[in-house]
Amino acid sequence: MFGGRTKCLFLAKNYLCSHRSPIRCHLQLQRNFRVAVIGASGGIGQPLSLLMMKDHRIKDLRLHDVQGVKGVAADLSHVSAPASVRGMQGPEEIEKAVECCDVVVITAGLARKPGMTREQLFEVNGNIVMATVTAIAKKSPGAMVVIVTNPVNAIVPMAAEVLRQHKVYDPKRLFGVTTLDCVRAERFIGDYLKISPTKVKIPVIGGHAGTTILPIMSQCQPPLNASQECIESMIKRIQNGGEEIIKAKEGKGSATLSMAFAAHRFVDVLLKGLKGEKTPLECAYVESNVTDACFFATPLSFNKNGIAKNHGLPCLDKSEKEALKSAVKQLQQSIELGINHVKCKK
């Protein structure tokens, strides 16, 4: 059935993936990647999975959800792209979906509805993400874990605590996606300056909810020469971008297409790092010591181990320093909420 060398590689690959240490499971025989999208039949998961199919670095795309995912996988299997695609459904197949993956992107959970607080959303989505992260800890402990599910400010610390309890936590490999805040900032500033958003560079730090989102306008390139009133209005729009979309969709949906775009952008940079390529800076919500909040989004660069360098806080003007103090206090509360959720389950 196999030639000598082919058989050796086949057996080696299966041996490595059956012995689940982070190093063995993720020692690549070739630098193409296994990626799982959890929540793949949802409003974010479907467009994100389509974008993933186009990525030549992905050889094995696994889709998981509680229902409807078989149809999504069948649909994507007709796309003329090199990646194989498989759909796995229900809690009984979650471990199979994440096993030996290089990257697991978690989009599963409910979208926020009008009037719903993020604390209420956490009560639902926290348990969903906890089950997925537990499966990752068991079957793919060296994976890069990319969390899109809201509320990110509490979900990411919760995921870290789950991994820590399973003794597989690596802070360089766990990320909360805040890229949508960067994407919005680039778009809104680009529209104001009448230039392409791709030419706008601005760090957006902090968290991923309301006033924890801190666009550092003083560091925008090209410079945003606008009145303070205009700048404050733009900051508020970036911070409340999700509400704008919920209202535009008349309460029947939230940010799905733009979130899929942002999540794909983050994964693209992550895969560049895994390939050993130099990466552009991208902000993400990670374990951090740059402020008194032990999870915080700042610009990062990436390598084969995940985070290569946390580039810390950009220079802040006086008003940005004041906004930072407020954001840190809010983040500390969210972090405590996430960690306590796991401890109460013990």
Side-chain angles (χ1 to χ4, degrees), residues 2 6-18 29:
F2 297 106
T6 304
K7 183 176 181 181
C8 180
L9 290 172
F10 176 83
L11 293 174
K13 182 184 289 188
N14 281 277
Y15 173 82
L16 290 168
C17 282
S18 66
L29 296 170

Side-chain angles (χ1 to χ4, degrees), residues 274-307:
L274 287 173
K275 274 278 195 182
E277 300 172 11
K278 185 178 180 181
T279 69
L281 298 185
E282 194 67 74
C283 293
Y285 185 66
V286 298
E287 184 175 311
S288 170
N289 60 8
V290 302
T291 71
D292 289 335
C294 59
F295 286 84
F296 197 86
T298 41
L300 309 170
S301 51
F302 305 88
N303 62 17
K304 294 179 181 180
N305 297 314
I307 298 173

Side-chain angles (χ1 to χ4, degrees), residues 201-203 215-224 314-317 320:
K201 303 299 178 189
I202 176 170
I216 307 304
M217 296 296 199
S218 66
Q219 299 303 309
C220 180
Q221 293 296 328
L224 181 61
C315 292
L316 308 176
D317 66 20
E320 289 163 350

